Amino acid sequence: MSFWQALFMGLLQGATELFPVSSLGHAVLVPSLLHWSFKQSDRSFVPFLVLLHLGTAGALLVLYRRQWVDIVIGFVRAAIRGSISTPTERLSMLLMVGTLPAAVLGVFLENRIKSLFASPYEAAGFLVLNGLLMLGFEVMRRRAERKAVLQGTSREEQEERFADAAQISFRAAAIVGACQALAFLPGISRSGVTIGGGLLAGLRHEEAARFSFLLATPVILGAGLVEVPLLFSSGVPVSEYLLSAVLAGVAAYVSARFLLRYFRSGRLDPYGWYCIAAGLVSLALLTLNL
């Protein structure tokens, strides 16, 4: 991978990771669509992508730095006390429960998951599926809104009727965590399926996005501990890749700030239609070898 390709991949990953459009799907598809010479099957490709994700995690840690301090303190206090007494302590335990499914599957299915990163056709297909999931989540959410008799109110007022992240059940947090594990499939958006899972759990769009962003951080950091050290033994230009990760972090920070404002009244539908179109066009281009 050339220096400029690495920088482009960093910008692409950071810009798409938090949007519900699958950064992994784009990372697998774009090199093939642009006919770049390196192969996604190379053993350094997945560690490189994980390094870029660490840039995203760094951006989220900066964005939620005060909340993470409170969450860590709350987790320790609740663990020592053996009970939960504040919303922050409850949120810390919900995040732990939500992290477990992806952590367990990542350990037991590591080799199978990595093999999927070598297939742009599968990434394009999963991207279409991701779009359908986004549209499906919104259809079910609108049913919940109709049941709550929210007609005649603004989108902001509708959103206020739904819950904060700390109010969902532990069962719901586990379901959202299971949704997050689907993002091991390149083309399935981690943020998209976790935001969608949060909507089904009764969260406001903005709170579903916040819970999704918080849930991403420990999973990404855990993957970084496993994968990134492999870069140092693969002979790749690590300093250039680190610069790409910094660029990914900057792009992710800007994306997160935008999305938190967008989801005060916005929905997943536009991203769902984009993923369907992008996946179908990619499949056509790959099949025709254009």
Side-chain angles (χ1 to χ4, degrees):
M1 190 182 305
S2 72
F3 174 66
W4 294 110
Q5 287 174 340
L7 290 183
F8 178 83
M9 293 291 287
L11 181 61
L12 177 69
Q13 196 282 326
T16 56
E17 166 64 15
L18 301 178
F19 281 85
V21 298
S22 180
S23 64
L24 289 179
H26 283 71
V28 173
L29 279 170
V30 168
S32 294
L33 294 176
L34 296 180
H35 303 289
W36 287 353
S37 58
F38 72 86
K39 300 296 183 182
Q40 296 93 324
S41 57
D42 187 272
R43 64 190 182 95
S44 66
F45 185 64
V46 172
F48 170 65
L49 293 182
V50 174
L51 177 63
L52 298 183
H53 278 73
L54 286 181
T56 302
L60 293 176
L61 285 172
V62 171
L63 183 63
Y64 292 112
R65 56 191 180 279
R66 294 179 181 176
Q67 292 186 45
W68 270 115
V69 171
D70 294 338
I71 287 169
V72 171
I73 293 174
F75 179 84
V76 173
R77 286 177 175 173
I80 293 175
R81 190 190 312 116
S83 62
I84 299 171
S85 60
T86 68
T88 301
E89 291 176 0
R90 180 177 176 81
L91 178 60
S92 69
M93 294 299 172
L94 288 170
L95 290 171
M96 180 191 70
V97 170
T99 300
L100 289 176
V104 172
L105 287 177
V107 170
F108 287 102
L109 299 178
E110 178 183 0
N111 291 330
R112 176 56 183 154
I113 291 169
K114 286 183 177 180
S115 68
L116 295 173
F117 286 78
S119 175
Y121 288 94
E122 291 186 13
F126 284 131
L127 198 60
V128 174
L129 176 59
N130 183 73
L132 294 173
L133 287 173
M134 299 304 101
L135 297 180
F137 285 136
E138 284 295 351
V139 168
M140 289 184 279
R141 178 50 171 258
R142 285 184 173 91
R143 290 177 181 173
E145 291 174 356
R146 286 195 292 270
K147 289 180 181 179
V149 196
L150 298 177
Q151 291 88 347
T153 61
S154 68
R155 283 287 299 124
E156 289 82 358
E157 290 172 328
Q158 292 177 23
E159 286 295 294
E160 288 300 319
R161 307 288 183 91
F162 291 92
D164 293 330
Q167 296 173 335
I168 65 174
S169 67
F170 284 96
R171 180 170 177 265
I175 293 174
V176 175
C179 289
Q180 178 173 234
L182 292 175
F184 286 130
L185 304 174
I188 302 296
S189 167
R190 187 206 56 76
S191 63
V193 292
T194 50
I195 290 173
L199 296 182
L200 297 184
L203 295 178
R204 299 194 297 272
H205 280 77
E206 184 181 5
E207 277 296 285
R210 184 172 75 96
F211 189 69
S212 170
F213 295 167
L214 290 172
L215 198 60
T217 307
V219 172
I220 293 173
L221 293 178
L225 290 175
V226 175
E227 293 293 336
V228 172
L230 300 177
L231 284 175
F232 294 92
S233 60
S234 59
V236 298
V238 176
S239 59
E240 295 180 5
Y241 286 9
L242 286 173
L243 183 59
S244 301
V246 172
L247 186 59
V250 173
Y253 182 85
V254 174
S255 298
R257 296 296 297 266
F258 167 80
L259 286 169
L260 289 173
R261 290 194 300 270
Y262 170 80
F263 280 123
R264 291 171 186 170
S265 58
R267 295 185 182 273
L268 292 171
D269 304 66
Y271 305 109
W273 290 116
Y274 164 79
C275 288
I276 292 173
L280 292 175
V281 170
S282 297
L283 282 171
L285 293 174
L286 290 168
T287 302
L288 298 173
N289 197 29
L290 296 177

